[in-house]
């Protein structure tokens, strides 16, 4: 864990998609393999969101407590702040069956180290941990998912090939879940006693979002996002503390509920769910996520400013995105006529928010690292249910 950070606390999030009884060989074994999939871009420009009936999978969202100090009442993907236990050297013994496999058997990433987001590129040995960040943040995402939802993603043995499967919470796992909630280091103890490994191989690197300045309180997070696709929807329970409700819904249903003001999601969830709408079929989503993960990702720090009662969040690649995003970045828009020119759509990568439930995407750039373009909806002008 990086205690040298000034503005952010490191965290990990898991986007968990689950189908309904797919064939046993439709998702890969524990050791990832490359398989044919849909093109990364999935098409450009505007597109209609797929109707919810076209999806053969749901995604897990958890409602945060109204007493939460960060994003109260928001629906979020499972995840949370990294704990020192996630970087504990004891994990070396837990993963001992893998022998001397580099990065605990994870695939290498093509992205040059100097362009990697710091959350992945930081040398953890210099911070006192022999566990690479790529491993520790997956452990964090799996631990937090278990704590918050009861979904435990593990494999019994490296040779069994059980990726994409969840262990259901029986009485023994219910006891362990309570212990892990009390002390994250009990996650290591649980894995030892149950003779399982956290299924870090089922998680595919997806993105890296940073909390912008002055949003959602004083706490800011540097969060690694991972994607995981399960064959079947696992048994789920909220933790009765930070999480007060959970739901499995299609990406299209979540976006519809958001626009109908039935629930609130933060900008990263809005963007990523819009991305997932490119793939209504779980196998396509999984194949894409598995292939693309080896390309790497960008660090995304939204730069937020107000214009004509709109809140505009600039993302990397936008023509107005500042070169230096350190500290408290501000954008000078006092003389920028391009904001008012509807004909000038060069290099746009932004989210425009009218109110907490009205967000639209403006994107003309090509995604880096072979990533997905989100489905871009037109502005909401009438009955929200007619938009999907």
């Amino acid at each position: 864990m990086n205690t040298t950070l000034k503005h952010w606390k490191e965290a990990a999030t898991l986007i968990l998609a689950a189908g309904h009884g797919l064939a046993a060989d439709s998702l890969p074994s524990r050791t990832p393999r490359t398989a044919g999939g849909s093109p990364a871009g999935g098409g450009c420009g505007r597109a209609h969101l797929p109707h919810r009936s076209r999806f053969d999978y749901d995604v897990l969202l958890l409602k945060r407590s109204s007493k939460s100090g960060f994003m109260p009442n928001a629906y979020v993907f499972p995840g949370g702040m990294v704990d020192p236990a996630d970087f504990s050297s004891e994990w070396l013994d837990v993963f001992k069956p893998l022998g001397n496999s580099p990065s605990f058997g994870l695939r290498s990433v093509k992205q040059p180290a100097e362009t990697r987001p710091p959350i992945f590129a930081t040398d953890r040995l210099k911070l006192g941990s022999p566990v690479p960040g790529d491993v520790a943040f997956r452990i964090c995402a799996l631990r937090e998912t278990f704590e918050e939802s009861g979904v435990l993603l593990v494999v019994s043995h490296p040779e069994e090939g059980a990726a994409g499967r969840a262990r259901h919470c029986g009485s023994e796992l219910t006891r362990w879940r309570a212990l892990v909630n009390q002390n994250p280091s009990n996650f290591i103890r649980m894995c030892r006693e149950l003779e399982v490994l956290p299924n870090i191989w089922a998680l595919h690197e997806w993105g890296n979002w940073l909390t912008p300045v002055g949003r959602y309180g004083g706490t800011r997070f540097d969060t690694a996002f991972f994607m995981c696709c399960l064959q079947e929807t696992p048994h789920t329970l909220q933790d009765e503390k930070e999480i007060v409700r959970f739901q499995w819904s299609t990406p299209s249903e979540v976006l519809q509920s958001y626009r109908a003001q039935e629930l609130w999601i933060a900008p990263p969830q809005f963007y990523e769910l819009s991305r997932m709408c490119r793939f209504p079929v779980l196998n396509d989503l999984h194949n894409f996520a598995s292939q693309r993960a080896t390309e790497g990702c960008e660090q995304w720090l939204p730069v937020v400013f107000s214009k004509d009662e709109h809140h505009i969040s600039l993302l990397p690649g936008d023509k107005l995105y500042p070169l230096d995003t350190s500290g408290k970045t501000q954008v000078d828009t006092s003389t920028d006529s391009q904001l008012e020119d509807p004909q000038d759509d060069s290099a746009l990568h932004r989210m425009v928010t009218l109110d907490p439930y009205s967000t639209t995407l403006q994107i003309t750039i090509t995604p880096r690292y072979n990533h997905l373009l989100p489905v871009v909806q037109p502005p909401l002008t009438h009955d929200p249910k007619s938009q999907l």
Side-chain angles (χ1 to χ4, degrees):
M1 126 170 248
N2 193 350
T3 58
T4 65
L5 293 176
K6 295 181 180 179
H7 302 296
W8 292 278
K9 297 180 183 296
E10 292 180 320
T13 281
L14 183 58
I15 305 175
L16 194 58
H20 304 97
L22 301 179
D25 61 352
S26 60
L27 295 179
S29 64
R30 182 194 62 78
T31 303
R33 64 171 182 260
T34 301
S38 301
C44 299
R46 293 192 182 280
H48 291 293
L49 289 179
H51 191 273
R52 55 186 177 273
S53 63
R54 286 186 54 200
F55 287 84
D56 67 355
Y57 67 89
D58 294 323
V59 62
L60 176 61
L61 286 177
L62 308 174
K63 184 180 181 182
R64 298 180 64 82
S65 166
S66 60
K67 299 178 182 179
S68 175
F70 184 76
M71 292 188 184
N73 296 313
Y75 279 76
V76 298
F77 304 126
M81 192 166 63
V82 71
D83 187 87
D86 301 324
F87 279 97
S88 172
S89 59
E90 294 183 50
W91 285 114
L92 298 181
D93 185 57
V94 174
F95 284 92
K96 199 171 183 179
L98 290 173
N100 296 320
S101 300
S103 294
F104 295 26
L106 293 174
R107 295 175 297 170
S108 60
V109 176
K110 301 174 186 176
Q111 185 180 8
E114 59 271 18
T115 64
R116 292 281 280 155
I119 195 170
F120 296 121
T122 298
D123 186 347
R124 302 292 164 169
L125 278 174
K126 293 182 178 179
L127 298 176
S129 173
V131 181
D134 283 348
V135 175
F137 288 107
R138 283 173 168 82
I139 291 173
C140 174
L142 293 168
R143 174 182 57 76
E144 287 282 348
T145 298
F146 180 48
E147 290 180 19
E148 294 180 334
S149 71
V151 176
L152 178 62
L153 297 171
V154 294
V155 287
S156 298
H157 191 275
E159 303 303 322
E160 290 191 6
R165 297 181 186 274
R167 188 175 279 219
H168 287 202
C169 276
S171 58
E172 183 179 27
L173 291 187
T174 300
R175 179 178 68 87
W176 275 115
R177 184 183 174 206
L179 290 172
V180 175
N181 265 299
Q182 292 172 10
N183 188 337
S185 65
N186 283 327
F187 195 51
I188 305 173
R189 181 181 155 207
M190 180 196 72
C191 290
R192 280 177 169 159
E193 294 196 17
L194 297 183
E195 297 183 336
V196 295
L197 300 178
N199 198 345
I200 60 175
W201 309 275
L203 273 59
H204 306 296
E205 183 178 311
W206 187 258
N208 175 209
W209 286 84
L210 277 71
T211 310
V213 176
R215 308 290 284 182
Y216 320 118
T219 305
R220 301 171 67 189
F221 292 97
D222 181 353
T223 306
F225 277 64
F226 299 98
M227 176 70 71
C228 178
C229 298
L230 301 180
Q231 297 173 19
E232 299 177 351
T233 303
H235 182 65
T236 315
L237 294 170
Q238 61 258 27
D239 66 358
E240 305 295 344
K241 295 179 181 178
E242 293 183 29
I243 305 303
V244 297
R245 188 176 185 274
F246 73 87
Q247 70 178 51
W248 289 92
S249 304
T250 71
S252 181
E253 284 177 320
V254 178
L255 293 172
Q256 176 182 359
S257 295
Y258 165 73
R259 289 163 71 89
Q261 302 188 22
E262 296 169 355
L263 56 78
W264 185 78
I265 52 177
Q269 279 73 21
F270 180 87
Y271 194 103
E272 300 303 354
L273 289 165
S274 297
R275 266 179 168 167
M276 295 173 74
C277 286
R278 292 283 176 188
F279 290 120
V281 177
L282 182 64
N283 272 340
D284 292 342
L285 175 65
H286 168 77
N287 288 337
F288 170 79
S290 178
Q291 289 178 342
R292 198 223 62 79
T294 61
E295 299 292 332
C297 69
E298 285 184 284
Q299 181 189 73
W300 282 8
L301 170 59
V303 175
V304 184
F305 67 96
S306 298
K307 186 72 174 180
D308 297 333
E309 298 183 358
H310 296 185
H311 291 290
I312 300 176
S313 298
L314 302 178
L315 295 172
D318 191 280
K319 61 189 177 184
L320 294 183
Y321 195 79
L323 295 177
D324 179 13
T325 56
S326 61
K328 294 187 177 181
T329 303
Q330 303 222 345
V331 178
D332 181 9
T333 61
S334 58
T335 60
D336 192 88
S337 60
Q338 295 174 330
L339 282 172
E340 289 88 17
D341 185 358
Q343 302 303 316
D344 183 7
D345 60 356
S346 60
L348 300 181
H349 192 200
R350 57 185 65 175
M351 292 181 279
V352 180
T353 303
L354 271 172
D355 61 61
Y357 296 95
S358 300
T359 297
T360 57
L361 298 170
Q362 296 179 358
I363 305 175
T364 60
I365 67 164
T366 300
R368 299 186 67 188
Y369 304 108
N370 289 336
H371 222 314
L372 275 177
L373 280 169
V375 172
V376 178
Q377 294 176 267
L380 185 61
T381 57
H382 53 283
D383 182 4
K385 294 185 178 180
S386 68
Q387 298 294 315
L388 299 182

